[in-house]
Structure formats: structure tokens, C-alpha cells
Amino acid sequence: RGPLTVSGWAKSAAGDVEVAVSLDDGRVEHPVRFPRPDVAAAVPGLGDTSKAGFRATFSPPAGFGEHAICVEMRDPRGRVRRLGPVRFLWGP
């Protein structure tokens, strides 16, 4: 119930990664980015992680029901990785 927040990190050794989070109802968010020093400490080969973190928040749908979310990440070379769809019950 209520808003849905999706967060994590995405970084490539080749550079920053573009992230898009989409819901099955057509909404797409390009998340806010933030530093992840914990990622830099755990995976030093990634280099600068000042934009590795991401967070997107969606307002709830009008009614309660099953929904799906996908996260798409595109590295500087154009390689795409998709996570999902992840299905869940959600409502106001």
C-alpha cells in the first residue's frame, strides 16, 4: 500500500550507467542518482561511484491489484541489462 520506492546501484567499469524504472501501467522514471561509497569500497575496480546509486518513487495506482516493475540499465557501450518483470500486489 502507498508509494513504491525502487532503489539500488548500477555502475559499469566502462563508466556511468543510465537507469530507467518502468511500471506495467506505462509510467517510466529516470531515477535520481547519488553517491555509493560502499559500492566503491566493495568493488574498487568500478572507479568513481558518485552516480552509482539510484532511487525512483511512484505514487500508488487508483485501485488495488497485481502490477509489475522492470529496471533497465544501459552502459556507456550500449549494452542493456534488464531486471524483471517483478510482479507484486499494490494499491492505495
Side-chain angles (χ1 to χ4, degrees):
R1 295 195 177 274
L4 172 69
T5 299
V6 178
S7 65
W9 67 273
K11 176 73 168 107
S12 167
D16 290 334
V17 173
E18 294 177 34
V19 178
V21 182
S22 60
L23 286 170
D24 58 349
D25 65 4
R27 292 185 278 170
V28 177
E29 289 286 331
H30 295 277
V32 296
R33 304 303 295 266
F34 55 89
R36 285 294 301 262
D38 58 320
V39 172
V43 191
L46 290 179
D48 178 20
T49 59
S50 63
K51 296 180 186 172
F54 67 86
R55 182 180 308 112
T57 301
F58 295 89
S59 58
F64 194 81
E66 185 175 314
H67 292 275
I69 194 162
C70 292
V71 179
E72 181 178 287
M73 298 161 280
R74 182 179 307 271
D75 78 8
R77 298 169 295 213
R79 294 182 181 158
V80 175
R81 181 173 183 186
R82 291 182 181 91
L83 301 177
V86 175
R87 301 194 181 286
F88 56 96
L89 293 175
W90 185 33

